[in-house]
Amino acid sequence: MMRAIELFCVVFWCLCAATWASTNREPCQSPSMTSGTLSVSSTGGHDIAEGHFNYNSTAKRLRFVENESHSHKTSHMDVLIHFEEGVLYEIDIKNESCKKQTLKYHRHPMELPSDTHYESEAYLGSPTKSEQGLRVRMWNGKLPDLHANYTMLTTSCGCLTVSYCYHSEKTDLYFSFMNVETEVDDAHVFAPPAYCDGVALEDTPDDHSFFDLFHD
């Protein structure tokens, strides 16, 4: 039986105005720098998080700061991930405190894996009306170490992530990227604060991933 995330993605694609037949395509490369708004929700309609992200695809570094005004949470996420080094920082600027953990699993929604499968190309909206549509490519694949699979949309020109459907045995998540720019205002966001120096690195399981940050 099709589970919620699969049904969501099928319905989503039925709304497309036009599709192109699948052809073999190599995974596109995301721009060296991107920033914008990231919204995360469950397929049950529950908003999990929304905030500003900055991503450096060259150095494989991500900063995500949750909007304090978005929810009634008592604490809001501020994380810095160095994927190449396998380190995740949880930052508390107000209290100048820091938590540092290993992150051995490096895949995330901001970049296509090398083994992703190209599915099709389509327009969201109208392909004939000026500024009334967005041409996107659909990719999918499996994340065996997480017992998960994904469906990802990127812009056809520029390889910007538009959305990412994540389905696993533990959770179903939908990532939406908005107001994306191909620049980062302040590169210092990718450096941990000075008060993170000397903080002990906590070891985590091999399957600890970016997706574990978002629990419904």
Side-chain angles (χ1 to χ4, degrees), residues 70-176:
H70 182 251
S71 67
H72 59 275
K73 297 178 182 178
T74 56
S75 62
H76 295 82
M77 191 185 311
D78 183 350
V79 294
L80 170 63
I81 304 176
H82 290 184
F83 288 103
E84 287 288 297
E85 295 87 346
V87 179
L88 183 152
Y89 299 86
E90 294 184 13
I91 300 167
D92 185 339
I93 293 179
K94 291 182 179 179
N95 297 316
E96 294 193 349
S97 62
C98 182
K99 184 179 180 180
K100 188 161 58 171
Q101 297 179 331
T102 59
L103 191 76
K104 300 166 188 174
Y105 193 82
H106 296 172
R107 293 194 176 182
H108 55 83
M110 272 66 70
E111 198 161 322
L112 281 167
S114 60
D115 60 353
T116 194
H117 172 68
Y118 171 75
E119 190 66 29
S120 62
E121 195 165 41
Y123 265 100
L124 302 182
S126 172
T128 59
K129 300 293 184 181
S130 177
E131 297 185 357
Q132 297 298 313
L134 176 66
R135 189 168 179 171
V136 296
R137 290 174 182 168
M138 180 179 180
W139 314 81
N140 59 47
K142 298 183 182 297
L143 306 172
D145 293 339
L146 302 183
H147 304 286
N149 54 63
Y150 67 88
T151 300
M152 183 172 177
L153 299 187
T154 64
T155 56
S156 293
C157 180
C159 201
L160 300 176
T161 305
V162 176
S163 65
Y164 188 100
C165 294
Y166 172 85
H167 168 59
S168 75
E169 296 176 350
K170 295 191 294 184
T171 188
D172 294 339
L173 299 171
Y174 181 72
F175 298 83
S176 180

